[in-house]
Amino acid sequence: MPRVLVTGFAPFGGESVNPSWQAASLLAAEPPAGLTVRAVELPCAFGTSLTALRDAVRTETPDLVLCLGQAGGRPGVTVERVGINVDDARIPDNAGRQPIDEPVVPGGPAAYFSTLPVKACVAAMREAGVPAAVSHTAGTFVCNHVAYGLGHLIATEFPRVRGGFVHVPWAPEQVPDGTAPSLPPATVAHGLRALLATAARTPAGQDLKVTEGATH
């Protein structure tokens, strides 16, 4: 039975919850059929988040790793295509650090692509009734730090693991006035179950040949 590690972040930026961790917890409590899922909360902090991720991968020995993060303002679940080797924080992390134009991994490649079938994953979530899209930027905060860091771990230490990063919208409780898009964590988890089932059965290196590009 394929083993899946799902991570979410602790709340940050003054929030009391983080929907990425809410969704990760729901996935672990009710995994897709045929998969075992373990959820681990990462600190929303540069450096220590990657240490926690590496420790979790070593402990859980997963076949798939799905790292989740919050993307407030996005209307749907977005599967990140690429993580880039730069930390450029608009706000401090939970440890008070605010790196500017620093590499995630000194001397590392400019970027790592997700090793999940990103387009097939998006199609699976849409088929499950959950709004989803391919994203071509994970930002330059701790989410991208982990997206790139996961790619580096796979490339250098865990070559048999496949993984990627997914952003989830705010939870409704974070926007009680309804002035921004949100999705219930249970809805997000429903879509992510379809994503994981699709990723698990799609051979490495294969994906749908459909357009999910962007002009800007």
Side-chain angles (χ1 to χ4, degrees):
M1 184 176 291
R3 296 169 57 87
V4 180
L5 171 65
V6 179
T7 71
F9 282 110
F12 71 98
E15 299 281 358
S16 60
V17 299
N18 192 314
S20 68
W21 176 241
Q22 291 174 310
S25 300
L26 291 170
L27 282 173
E30 189 178 342
L35 301 179
T36 61
V37 176
R38 171 84 165 91
V40 172
E41 185 181 65
L42 302 181
C44 188
F46 294 98
T48 55
S49 55
L50 292 186
T51 300
L53 176 61
R54 180 184 291 107
D55 290 345
V57 174
R58 286 175 174 167
T59 299
E60 301 300 328
T61 61
D63 302 291
L64 293 172
V65 178
L66 182 67
C67 294
L68 306 177
Q70 171 187 299
R74 291 190 184 181
V77 181
T78 47
V79 182
E80 298 298 340
R81 195 171 199 170
V82 62
I84 60 174
N85 193 15
V86 64
D87 292 330
D88 192 5
R90 183 177 57 82
I91 61 174
D93 67 11
N94 283 0
R97 290 197 62 224
Q98 192 173 1
I100 298 174
D101 298 339
E102 295 181 11
V104 180
V105 177
Y112 284 109
F113 284 105
S114 172
T115 54
L116 300 179
V118 294
K119 294 182 178 181
C121 288
V122 166
M125 285 190 286
R126 289 174 180 164
E127 188 174 347
V130 177
V134 173
S135 169
H136 304 281
T137 174
T140 55
F141 195 51
V142 184
C143 286
N144 175 76
H145 185 79
V146 166
Y148 181 90
L150 173 61
H152 191 71
L153 284 175
I154 290 172
T156 60
E157 297 183 43
F158 305 100
R160 296 183 180 179
V161 175
R162 289 190 293 153
F165 195 95
V166 172
H167 268 119
V168 306
W170 275 319
E173 64 193 280
Q174 294 175 284
V175 283
D177 58 2
T179 57
S182 66
L183 277 179
T187 301
V188 172
H190 175 65
L192 294 176
R193 290 186 190 99
L195 179 156
L196 287 175
T198 296
R201 67 171 178 262
T202 302
Q206 293 189 17
D207 200 356
L208 296 179
K209 195 71 171 178
V210 296
T211 181
E212 289 287 349
T215 58
H216 59 277

